[in-house]
Amino acid sequence: MHSTRNLPAKFTAELLTSFHLDLLRCQSFGSLNILCLRYAKLFRLKAVAYHHLPQLGSSDGVAVNVISAGFPKELVDRFESQNLIGIDPSIRQVMSGTRAYWWRELKYASPPRPEEMEYLEAASAAVDEGLMLPVFGPNGRNGYVSLGFGKTRPDMDDADIALLQSCCQFAHLQYCALLQVELPRPVKLSPREQEVLSWVAQGKSNGVVAEILDIAESTVITHLERSYRKLGVDNRVTAALRALSLGEFSYLP
């Protein structure tokens, strides 16, 4: 068993277990937020940010800033008012993998653009040291977590960071579980509508889908039009994305 000797003094295996159990008892977004912030203090974190990133095509927005505490108000206001979640290249870089990165050690796959570099320099001047990490959920509902430790970087090895990341992942899954209860229930697609959209998502034209399913192309179009009405969209690409975000896909061999 990992000793956790490199972690902050109060960040123990017992505390991690307690956090996981308390997460399961959360039955509202408010209680979940309060719990996460309470444990952040116990973990000696100086700042916490959690952004929910819905699947492309979902009906509940591009991104949701769920928690933001401990970061400079000016930086937070700028991030939210200017929707900088689409500008910050660190989020894009972290979400392309599975591991956590220290803020000041992240290497980018391609050089940041001028507007991205301007934001990164402003953020770097406003914060000290911390970790950023991805979390993953059902139907592509992923998230991004940023954890600030203040001026002193804790002595944490890869195993320590993995333990902390497991807490973030479990909290994200609980958020997704609560969100699925709150979201409106869509009209269910028929098995054939699911099948047609699954092939559309793989780049197949209406004619090719008709050949694969051994039906008329006009029948494929009829299934698509019915899907549009149920999903509240007006084209095949958006319909496929919306169906994916709702878990309304037929998983084909």
Side-chain angles (χ1 to χ4, degrees), residues 176-193:
C176 290
L178 294 173
L179 184 63
Q180 288 180 324
V181 173
E182 295 290 329
L183 288 176
R185 294 294 178 184
V187 176
K188 296 287 290 183
L189 299 178
S190 71
R192 184 62 98 183
E193 290 163 353

Side-chain angles (χ1 to χ4, degrees), residues 67-179:
I67 295 177
S68 184
F71 291 96
K73 183 178 185 302
E74 297 78 9
L75 186 66
V76 174
D77 289 346
R78 179 183 178 187
F79 186 90
E80 295 184 352
S81 65
Q82 299 180 23
N83 194 30
L84 293 181
I85 201 163
I87 295 295
D88 187 348
S90 64
I91 297 179
R92 184 167 62 251
Q93 185 68 31
V94 169
M95 294 307 300
S96 69
T98 59
R99 58 167 293 192
Y101 293 89
W102 290 103
W103 291 345
R104 302 188 185 280
E105 293 181 359
L106 182 62
K107 293 180 173 58
Y108 298 97
S110 58
R113 300 189 301 269
E115 64 271 22
E116 295 174 337
M117 182 57 69
E118 190 275 333
Y119 170 73
L120 289 174
E121 290 174 350
S124 178
V127 298
D128 296 310
E129 182 59 288
L131 285 168
M132 52 191 131
L133 56 95
V135 288
F136 304 97
N139 300 325
R141 290 188 175 277
N142 302 326
Y144 170 86
V145 178
S146 192
L147 307 172
F149 289 96
K151 296 184 180 299
T152 303
R153 173 170 165 173
D155 180 19
M156 299 173 67
D157 59 23
D158 289 344
D160 298 329
I161 293 172
L163 285 173
L164 185 56
Q165 189 168 355
S166 74
C167 288
C168 296
Q169 176 63 47
F170 203 24
H172 174 68
L173 290 176
Q174 186 64 12
Y175 177 85
C176 290
L178 294 173
L179 184 63

